[in-house]
């Protein structure tokens, strides 16, 4: 398996090396190669991500991605959006897992309110919300495929009571749930967001459109503590990119204070996606081992640095692997 490693900017350069080490420890057979994209590269070369970079990313079986600083500079375009588009990474997947609940938020990543069809007029400004049959079908199918056994079900988050475009989204997702033979229900996104926070144990896989999923997945992050813990995946039919939910955190970059857990859990999702469930679970267990020793970074109330946490994690992995 070939894995492209993109550290990116800021704390991406601190947490990704830890995740990389963890992957190399459990899977010495993986062929890693670095790809440099981001603001740092833009500042140096005037280009944040060129055609060769995209080709390199496309040549990988999976991508481990840190974070990219998006400067306020008007001459700079978001390259993560560019990468998602070029690699057609249509499903944004975020697990939200804690005591008694295990939710997967599946957000459509390519259309809806973020289709980029916008204009400004004299006295108003418009954004077009595009929902297509193709986009709804592939996200609905992906989400239905992720419904787990043991009474798992698909919840289709929508606002079809107001938006005609969501009548279509809901209809197509229901078709896909029926085709996959999974239990399903639908819920209006506003009430759903509150209910997920109040009764997380009621949910399994939730599928929704782009902006609703953006908001729901951040809100659900409340259930599991800070940004330093949350992994995510961007999945397409041919490519997949795994990244922590957090950004480049310029306020703590370069100080060895970043929590690498989100990045390491993203690496575990990468293995899971590649079919290596055993090592994905092993990584999760090793993280718990380290935390139970009281080794934590500052955001979790501890004193360990990023590198020291990584060292402890690699020791825990080796212990688990040999036991
Ligand atoms: P951020 O996620 O970088 O940081 C928000 C707050 O959380 C900061 O106080 C930071 O110190 C803290 N934090 C984040 N990750 C942490 C970790 N692993 N351990 C401990 N503390 C952590 O979001 P912010 O500040 O809004 O954005 C900073 C830059 O990152 C911006 O340029 C933004 O555009 C970019 N960004 C990039 C993303 C990506 O590449 N996927 C996602 C979000 C933001
Ligand atoms: Mg967001």
């Amino acid at each position: 398996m070939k894995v492209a490693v993109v550290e990116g900017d800021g704390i991406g350069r601190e947490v990704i090396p830890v995740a990389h080490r963890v992957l190399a420890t459990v899977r010495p057979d993986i062929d890693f190669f670095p790809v440099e994209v981001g603001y740092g590269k833009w500042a140096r070369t005037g280009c944040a991500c060129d055609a060769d970079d995209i080709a390199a990313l496309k040549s990988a079986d999976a991508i481990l991605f840190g974070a990219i600083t998006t400067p306020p500079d008007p001459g700079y375009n978001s390259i993560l959006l560019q990468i998602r588009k070029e690699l057609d990474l249509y499903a944004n997947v975020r697990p939200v897992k804690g005591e008694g609940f295990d939710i997967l938020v599946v957000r459509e990543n390519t259309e809806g309110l973020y289709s980029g069809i916008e204009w400004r007029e004299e006295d108003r400004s418009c954004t077009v919300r595009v929902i297509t049959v193709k986009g709804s079908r592939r996200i609905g199918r992906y989400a239905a495929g992720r419904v787990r056994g043991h009474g798992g079900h698909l919840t289709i988050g929508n606002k079809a009571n107001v938006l005609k475009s969501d009548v279509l989204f809901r209809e197509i997702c229901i078709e896909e749930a029926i085709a996959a033979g999974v239990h399903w229900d639908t819920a209006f996104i506003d009430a759903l967001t509150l209910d997920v926070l109040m009764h997380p144990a009621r949910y399994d896989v939730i599928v929704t459109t782009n902006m609703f999923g953006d908001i729901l997945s951040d809100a659900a992050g409340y259930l599991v503590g800070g940004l330093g813990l949350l992994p995510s995946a961007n999945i397409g039919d041919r490519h997949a990119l795994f990244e922590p939910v957090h950004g480049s955190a310029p306020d703590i970059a370069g100080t060895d204070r970043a929590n690498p857990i989100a990045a390491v859990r993203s690496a575990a999702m990468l293995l899971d996606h590649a079919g290596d469930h055993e090592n994905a679970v092993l990584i999760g267990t090793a993280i718990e081992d380290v935390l139970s020793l009281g080794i934590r970074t500052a955001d979790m109330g501890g004193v360990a640095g990023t590198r020291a946490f990584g060292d402890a994690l690699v020791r825990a992995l080796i212990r688990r692997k040999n036991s």
Side-chain angles (χ1 to χ4, degrees):
M1 175 161 63
K2 279 173 68 182
V3 173
V5 179
V6 181
E7 294 183 356
D9 302 309
I11 62 168
R13 300 185 164 279
E14 298 167 65
V15 297
I16 292 302
V18 174
H20 182 176
R21 244 181 102 197
V22 162
L23 277 183
T25 303
V26 297
R27 288 287 303 271
D29 59 305
I30 292 178
D31 177 13
F32 295 97
F33 65 97
V35 178
E36 190 199 354
V37 301
Y39 182 53
K41 178 170 182 160
W42 182 80
R44 219 184 57 243
T45 68
C47 178
C49 179
D50 58 30
D52 288 346
D53 297 326
I54 294 288
L57 294 175
K58 283 185 173 170
S59 77
D61 297 302
I63 302 160
L64 180 63
F65 192 93
I68 296 287
T69 297
T70 304
D73 196 310
Y76 185 92
N77 294 320
S78 165
I79 65 156
L80 195 56
L81 287 186
Q82 182 195 345
I83 292 171
R84 281 179 185 156
K85 204 165 271 173
E86 297 257 10
L87 275 62
D88 203 17
L89 304 173
Y90 60 83
N92 187 284
V93 181
R94 287 201 202 173
V96 183
K97 202 171 168 179
E99 198 79 38
F101 60 89
D102 184 358
I103 307 171
L104 206 62
V105 178
V106 177
R107 159 189 170 195
E108 202 291 321
N109 220 6
T110 62
E111 54 183 38
L113 256 185
Y114 299 170
S115 298
I117 305 171
E118 310 189 280
W119 66 93
R120 177 77 189 257
E121 295 172 10
E122 179 71 19
D123 54 358
R124 63 177 193 170
S125 177
C126 305
T127 298
V128 177
R129 184 178 199 268
V130 180
I131 300 286
T132 67
V133 169
K134 177 187 171 210
S136 304
R137 197 170 293 296
R138 64 183 185 177
I139 198 73
R141 186 171 301 173
Y142 177 81
R146 295 297 306 261
V147 171
R148 276 84 45 114
H150 315 293
H153 64 287
L154 180 68
T155 303
I156 303 161
N158 68 89
K159 196 72 186 170
N161 49 339
V162 179
L163 301 170
K164 293 272 188 298
S165 49
D166 260 12
V167 173
L168 176 68
F169 179 78
R170 185 175 65 180
E171 186 181 297
I172 301 290
C173 286
I174 291 172
E175 282 179 18
E176 288 302 319
I178 291 170
V182 300
H183 294 290
W184 58 272
D185 54 18
T186 69
F188 296 132
I189 192 70
D190 40 1
L192 175 63
T193 303
L194 177 62
D195 200 54
V196 166
L197 296 182
M198 291 180 68
H199 308 288
R202 290 181 184 167
Y203 295 92
D204 179 29
V205 179
I206 303 174
V207 65
T208 190
T209 51
N210 206 337
M211 189 190 70
F212 293 161
D214 192 5
I215 298 170
L216 175 66
S217 51
D218 275 21
Y222 167 77
L223 294 167
V224 284
L227 272 174
L229 299 172
L230 294 166
S232 76
N234 292 273
I235 311 271
D237 290 332
R238 299 174 52 200
H239 305 286
L241 180 152
F242 302 83
E243 56 164 346
V245 167
H246 63 72
S248 59
D251 55 336
I252 58 166
T255 65
D256 195 40
R257 274 189 291 166
N259 189 342
I261 292 178
V264 172
R265 285 188 174 148
S266 303
M269 288 181 82
L270 186 158
L271 290 182
D272 210 38
H273 184 73
D276 184 356
H277 310 298
E278 194 181 319
N279 280 311
V281 170
L282 186 75
I283 291 172
T285 314
I287 291 173
E288 295 310 316
D289 289 348
V290 173
L291 293 176
S292 69
L293 291 170
I295 300 172
R296 285 149 206 261
T297 46
D299 57 309
M300 296 181 78
V303 295
T306 311
R307 280 191 295 268
F309 190 95
D311 292 342
L313 191 52
V314 168
R315 280 196 301 273
L317 277 171
I318 291 170
R319 249 195 322 271
R320 285 269 171 192
K321 256 200 145 6
N322 296 337
S323 70

